[in-house]
Amino acid sequence: MKLKINTPTKITISRIVIAILLLIGIFVLYYLDYFKVINIASFNIPIKGNEELGSINLINLIILIIFLIGSFSDFLDGYLARKNNQVTTLGKFLDPLADKMLINGTMVFLSLNFPSLSSHLTFPFFLVILMIIRDLIVDSLRFVAASKGKVIAANIFGKAKTVSEMFAITFILLNGWPFSYFDAAFPNLLHISDFIAYSACFLSLLSGAIYLKDNYKVLLEE
């Protein structure tokens, strides 16, 4: 039987492709930077505000633009699926997978402290670990449900978690801008972008707990 893929699912698949290309591009760029083939820091664009965090890296800005295109596709595929009544089991399976490839991959990159970007913000590494563990648990629950012919779709808390992670990634790629204007009033190592990252982690863990509470019976069924 020939598999028919509707427009929303095609958009979801395109987000998976964007995530793969983005992560390959990031790996190549920072591999070249590590071996001194290029100097990432030479692409810094000065910004006003906190002198310690006074620049945005041009490459990070390009990464952000690609990331935002992928993030917008997350809204677009869901909107079209609901509007045109094209919600499918394949779409429900691929959508969270595409989100995790795009978001978790970018968060891992942002948690690495590249020497050439030592003056830029990073995503706290232990937060990334917590959120990835949460995703593994929820995904395992989804796979068990799928093996029993059930689909666990994203709920409102899962969507809020995804949006908050997108916001956190955006502001960290912008090196705290425009909050860098206010960060100088905070103690060292405390930035508004960090609070956004902690909020994203809280929502991630909260949504994971709600998924388990609502669907734990799937694990108990024979």
Side-chain angles (χ1 to χ4, degrees):
M1 183 177 68
K2 185 177 180 181
L3 178 64
K4 294 182 179 179
I5 301 178
N6 58 30
T7 300
T9 304
K10 289 178 181 178
I11 294 174
T12 303
I13 293 173
S14 73
R15 184 159 71 258
I16 293 176
V17 174
I18 288 173
I20 293 173
L21 294 177
L22 179 62
L23 295 177
I24 291 174
I26 289 173
F27 175 79
V28 171
L29 284 170
Y30 287 90
Y31 178 87
L32 294 176
D33 177 70
Y34 181 81
F35 286 100
K36 309 301 181 184
V37 177
I38 61 174
N39 183 11
I40 298 294
S42 65
F43 295 93
N44 285 350
I45 304 172
I47 59 174
K48 296 180 180 179
N50 189 338
E51 294 181 356
E52 180 186 355
L53 302 172
S55 64
I56 298 173
N57 189 268
L58 177 60
I59 292 176
N60 279 9
L61 194 58
I62 295 171
I63 291 171
L64 174 61
I65 292 172
I66 299 172
F67 175 79
L68 290 178
I69 292 172
S71 299
F72 176 73
S73 74
D74 181 35
F75 160 77
L76 185 61
D77 60 6
Y79 171 77
L80 291 176
R82 291 186 297 271
K83 179 183 177 182
N84 300 325
N85 194 26
Q86 293 181 318
V87 177
T88 63
T89 300
L90 179 61
K92 289 180 181 179
F93 172 77
L94 290 178
D95 186 65
L97 176 64
D99 290 342
K100 290 174 178 60
M101 289 180 64
L102 180 68
I103 293 174
N104 289 357
T106 308
M107 284 196 304
V108 169
F109 152 69
L110 289 175
S111 70
L112 303 177
N113 188 16
F114 292 97
S116 59
L117 292 177
S118 59
S119 63
H120 285 61
L121 292 177
T122 57
F123 210 113
F125 183 72
F126 72 96
L127 295 186
V128 177
I129 294 299
L130 285 175
M131 287 188 276
I132 289 178
I133 291 174
R134 175 266 183 204
D135 287 346
L136 289 173
I137 294 173
V138 173
D139 287 345
S140 298
L141 184 63
R142 280 199 170 102
F143 282 128
V144 172
S147 69
K148 299 180 179 182
K150 300 178 181 179
V151 176
I152 300 176
N155 58 28
I156 185 64
F157 297 99
K159 294 181 185 298
K161 163 252 186 191
T162 300
V163 172
S164 65
E165 288 174 342
M166 289 175 176
F167 272 106
I169 289 170
T170 297
F171 292 121
I172 290 176
L173 280 170
L174 290 174
N175 201 27
W177 186 87
F179 302 123
S180 54
Y181 290 98
F182 309 102
D183 283 339
F186 288 89
N188 288 337
L189 303 179
L190 274 179
H191 308 103
I192 295 176
S193 298
D194 290 330
F195 289 111
I196 297 174
Y198 279 97
S199 298
C201 183
F202 171 78
L203 284 173
S204 176
L205 298 178
L206 175 63
S207 66
I210 292 172
Y211 276 119
L212 285 174
K213 180 183 75 69
D214 292 344
N215 301 282
Y216 74 94
K217 291 182 180 178
V218 171
L219 302 175
L220 305 179
E221 296 172 352
E222 293 298 332

